[in-house]
Amino acid sequence: MCGIVGAVSNQNIVPVLVQGLARLEYRGYDSCGVAVYANGLQRARSTARVSELMAQINTTHLQGTTGIAHTRWATHGAPAVHNAHPHFSHGPGVDAINRPGRIALVHNGIIENHDELRAALQAKGYVFQSQTDTEVIAHLIDSLYDGDLFEAVKTALASLRGAYAIAVFCKDEPHRLIGARAGSPLILGVGADAQAHYLASDAMALAGVTSQIVYLEEGDVADIQLGKYWLVDKAFKPLTPAQRPVKTVHAHSGAAELGPYRHYMQKEIFEQPRAIADTLEGIASIMPELFDGASTSAARVFKDIDSVLILACGTSYYSGCTAKYWLESIAKIPTQVEVASEYRYRDSVPNPRTLIVTITQSGETADTLAALRHAQSQGMTHTLTICNVATSAMVRECELAYITRAGVEIGVASTKAFTAQLAGLFLLTLTLAQSRGLLSEAEEARHLKAMRHLPAALQAVLALEPQVIAWAQDFAAKDNALFLGRGLHYPIALEGALKLKEISYIHAEAYPAGELKHGPLALVTSAMPVVTVAPNDALLEKLKSNMHEVRARGGVLYVLADADSHMASGEGLHVIRMPEHYGELSPMLHVVPLQLLAYHTACARGTDVDKPRNLAKSVTVE
């Protein structure tokens, strides 16, 4: 999703701003821009990549000591230069377009009442140059400005409905930058010598610039000036350093290096053994303390719950669907999984003894945060998150947390974050089973042994890549595909279909294999490849019957089978044998060939693997 970088310094800040945008490219964008104070407002904008923006800056010699920069993912208005951020205000009047502006602003989020604000500002004579909701904020602040930028922003915020993170400066106060957030993340970076301070939507943007980070809470406003800064809360009461402490955050810029890999997605697929090893590092036994929050005991919470409600979106939702099978079969606890964006808009039956489990890679996913807050408002206060970012809003707002250690994931299509989530969710399953008296010492030892074996098992699965590449050559010429799974492998089929459609643009759907004859079988022809996840479990014989139905209609099967499942390739049947049977942990291994299939199919079709069209990495707007 959109990215923000801003700075006030005593030196030219443009190289830092552009470097920050480059660090945020992994989030996805379709335009980018930089604005600085240089005897007035100056800017450069582009609908190409950040590298093209840098070339434009070098040509125009854009420099300044106060500035803001942005990568935009289009919501209001097409991806075009006139819609790209930063936006300038222009004073009212017939010559407004040609008049030098005084307000420069970038914005993440969506302003829901932008139409009525636009109409009111147009009535005052303001002329709009874009279709964005963002330009409304710039004109609104301009209309309220009377020599104090903080006061103008403060008054403007009261009129905004929706989600926002903004960074704004004024040519009349050239060494002052105001930032504010509500519903979208924003951080403050403290410069080492106090002669430069920064704003950003992600600590990654400031990697190599500063590791001293202040996380702004919901409703906070930051006033940054040369050599100093101060913060106020949503009621505009001053905040003390203790209320918003400076934290040392090492955002590893080295994670953005591709190394020998062709794309970040390929790199991240192959990083999964390490990601799982890191996520499980140091776990010698199952204990509630693994999930303790900053001030809450997991043991106490787990004793007070009788059900689980999982809230997540996209790939994280599918990890939750997998966990439902584990939680109900191993921990014997009733579990529901809800799409976060739908949950808060329907009438549900709250149960204060439910454990709310949110799953999110970034910890800033807007729909999941909103669903969490809705659940809390319904009296369900027992909350736990499985998250990859320890400093995120989700971790701060949940009672309990398990932090996965997948590292930075740059490819938009999630891979290693998904398997790390599954590892955390399996640990949660075992912990809840133990707290309910359902996990014997022998069972605990067996499960821990299997989990320790996961990195080696993943390496063995990755060695199947050449066979998957052969499949991908077939898939690259197709327009549609079906994915089938049974039991806890049905969510893995869903995830495989999602990956294929995300990055290759092939239409793909997934079904429980038993549903094939209830409709989808009508689609099966020789032009419709059918991918089947077929571990050697209790449902294998049922699954084989479903596969026969496909072959009888001329369909072509691509089967991921375990080594001992007695299937062989033949006419219309392509089989890849997994190295071994993985039992309850099988989903974590079977998803890897599906990730590789999507990746190599996309490569064969020539799509932009790491930045698929219309998608963003971190979805921070509803």
Side-chain angles (χ1 to χ4, degrees):
M1 191 54 76
C2 309
I4 288 175
V5 192
V8 175
S9 177
N10 56 7
Q11 299 180 7
N12 177 31
I13 205 67
V14 172
V16 170
L17 297 177
V18 176
Q19 175 184 281
L21 293 187
R23 299 263 189 247
L24 296 179
E25 283 193 288
Y26 76 96
R27 295 165 68 101
Y29 66 102
D30 45 43
S31 64
C32 52
V34 173
V36 296
Y37 173 79
N39 295 319
L41 301 184
Q42 306 290 332
R43 69 183 168 191
R45 298 184 290 178
S46 172
T47 55
R49 294 301 182 198
V50 171
S51 57
E52 195 279 334
L53 178 70
M54 189 69 230
Q56 188 183 144
I57 288 168
N58 290 337
T59 299
T60 59
H61 306 291
L62 187 70
Q63 295 186 35
T65 55
T66 299
I68 51 179
H70 193 264
T71 52
R72 174 180 185 252
W73 187 72
T75 53
H76 295 72
V81 170
H82 68 278
N83 287 324
H85 299 214
H87 285 287
F88 290 169
S89 68
H90 297 275
V94 293
D95 195 36
I97 291 177
N98 298 316
R99 256 188 232 173
R102 61 180 176 182
I103 301 295
L105 180 139
V106 293
H107 161 232
N108 290 353
I110 291 177
I111 303 304
E112 296 172 357
N113 60 331
H114 66 96
D115 281 335
E116 59 192 75
L117 292 173
R118 181 186 293 260
L121 289 161
Q122 286 173 327
K124 293 181 179 180
Y126 282 90
V127 178
F128 286 77
Q129 296 179 278
S130 77
Q131 289 80 49
T132 67
D133 54 337
T134 299
E135 191 181 0
V136 169
I137 313 174
H139 289 322
L140 179 61
I141 293 171
D142 182 277
S143 73
L144 298 167
Y145 184 75
D146 189 25
D148 187 327
L149 182 60
F150 175 85
E151 288 299 321
V153 171
K154 171 184 172 181
T155 305
L157 294 179
S159 298
L160 303 181
R161 292 201 313 269
Y164 57 80
I166 62 170
V168 55
F169 71 91
C170 177
K171 74 178 182 66
D172 295 340
E173 298 177 76
H175 290 103
R176 191 180 196 186
L177 180 64
I178 307 295
R181 66 152 296 188
S184 289
L186 193 67
I187 63 170
L188 189 155
V190 180
D193 56 2
Q195 293 304 302
H197 296 311
Y198 310 90
L199 288 173
S201 53
D202 188 325
M204 176 65 78
L206 304 180
V209 176
T210 182
S211 61
Q212 301 302 294
I213 302 297
V214 178
Y215 286 90
L216 303 189
E217 297 289 343
E218 188 78 357
D220 283 359
V221 182
D223 190 341
I224 301 171
Q225 300 186 33
L226 193 60
K228 59 186 177 180
Y229 70 87
W230 58 89
L231 303 170
V232 298
D233 64 15
K234 60 186 177 183
F236 300 104
K237 293 181 180 178
L239 292 162
T240 67
Q243 289 174 290
R244 301 289 186 269
V246 177
K247 298 184 178 181
T248 301
V249 177
H250 297 290
H252 300 292
S253 58
E257 302 302 325
L258 263 176
Y261 298 99
R262 184 176 171 186
H263 297 95
Y264 288 110
M265 182 179 178
Q266 184 186 31
K267 177 188 178 188
E268 288 152 11
I269 290 171
F270 278 82
E271 285 177 338
Q272 288 177 109
R274 180 200 55 77
I276 298 301
D278 289 350
T279 295
L280 301 176
E281 184 179 10
I283 295 175
S285 61
I286 301 300
M287 61 183 73
E289 288 78 9
L290 295 171
F291 297 89
D292 278 354
S295 59
T296 306
S297 161
R300 178 186 63 77
V301 172
F302 292 165
K303 283 182 171 57
D304 194 37
I305 63 168
D306 59 14
S307 61
V308 173
L309 172 58
I310 296 173
L311 303 172
C313 302
T315 286
S316 296
Y317 171 76
Y318 295 145
S319 70
C321 291
T322 306
K324 174 182 171 71
Y325 287 90
W326 288 334
L327 287 161
E328 294 198 335
S329 66
I330 298 173
K332 307 297 182 187
I333 188 165
T335 301
Q336 288 181 277
V337 189
E338 294 257 8
V339 175
S341 58
E342 291 292 319
Y343 168 67
R344 68 190 176 110
Y345 293 114
R346 72 174 187 83
D347 292 330
S348 57
V349 182
N351 172 10
R353 297 195 64 195
T354 294
L355 176 66
I356 302 297
V357 177
T358 63
I359 311 171
T360 163
Q361 177 205 337
S362 67
E364 305 289 351
T365 307
D367 288 321
T368 310
L369 280 166
L372 168 71
R373 292 162 187 160
H374 175 71
Q376 291 169 326
S377 73
Q378 299 290 301
M380 295 185 285
T381 58
H382 294 320
T383 58
L384 181 152
T385 188
I386 306 290
C387 184
N388 199 46
V389 181
T391 53
S392 65
M394 190 66 76
V395 173
R396 295 195 299 272
E397 293 189 28
C398 285
E399 273 189 318
L400 310 175
Y402 189 83
I403 308 303
T404 57
R405 296 170 65 187
V408 174
E409 190 177 64
I410 291 176
V412 167
S414 180
T415 52
K416 64 178 181 174
F418 175 74
T419 47
Q421 287 170 353
L422 290 177
L425 289 162
F426 194 72
L427 278 177
L428 175 62
T429 298
L430 298 181
T431 305
L432 289 176
Q434 183 190 69
S435 69
R436 295 164 69 84
L438 299 173
L439 188 71
S440 68
E441 289 186 11
E443 288 170 326
E444 177 183 350
R446 177 176 67 84
H447 286 306
L448 285 173
K449 181 180 178 181
M451 295 192 81
R452 292 189 192 104
H453 179 60
L454 277 171
L458 282 163
Q459 289 286 10
V461 175
L462 288 166
L464 299 172
E465 185 181 32
Q467 298 177 59
V468 178
I469 292 173
W471 283 14
Q473 298 307 310
D474 294 344
F475 275 72
K478 306 298 183 182
D479 295 317
N480 303 280
L482 286 177
F483 287 69
L484 302 178
R486 296 204 74 139
L488 57 80
H489 293 88
Y490 167 50
I492 299 307
L494 287 164
E495 172 62 9
L498 176 63
K499 285 291 156 285
L500 189 67
K501 72 181 77 169
E502 277 183 304
I503 62 170
S504 74
Y505 314 145
I506 292 172
H507 171 246
E509 292 186 71
Y511 291 92
E515 282 293 291
L516 190 63
K517 56 185 171 293
H518 294 288
L521 197 58
L523 297 172
V524 171
T525 69
S526 59
M528 173 78 80
V530 180
V531 181
T532 307
V533 184
N536 191 10
D537 58 18
L539 291 171
L540 180 61
E541 293 307 315
K542 295 287 186 184
L543 186 60
K544 285 181 177 179
S545 297
N546 304 135
M547 292 162 56
H548 284 301
E549 292 173 333
V550 172
R551 295 187 70 185
R553 273 76 179 177
V556 181
L557 284 160
Y558 294 80
V559 183
L560 293 174
D562 284 343
D564 55 355
S565 58
H566 306 295
M567 283 190 216
S569 295
E571 185 67 28
L573 177 60
H574 305 274
V575 178
I576 291 179
R577 295 190 181 281
M578 301 288 282
E580 55 183 298
H581 179 59
Y582 300 98
E584 294 97 338
L585 293 172
S586 177
M588 295 181 63
L589 284 302
H590 274 85
V591 75
V592 175
L594 301 182
Q595 296 169 347
L596 289 169
L597 176 62
Y599 171 73
H600 286 291
T601 301
C603 288
R605 288 168 69 95
T607 63
D608 190 343
V609 172
D610 288 329
K611 302 182 185 72
R613 67 188 182 204
N614 305 331
L615 300 180
K617 183 63 179 173
S618 179
V619 183
T620 54
V621 297
E622 186 176 359

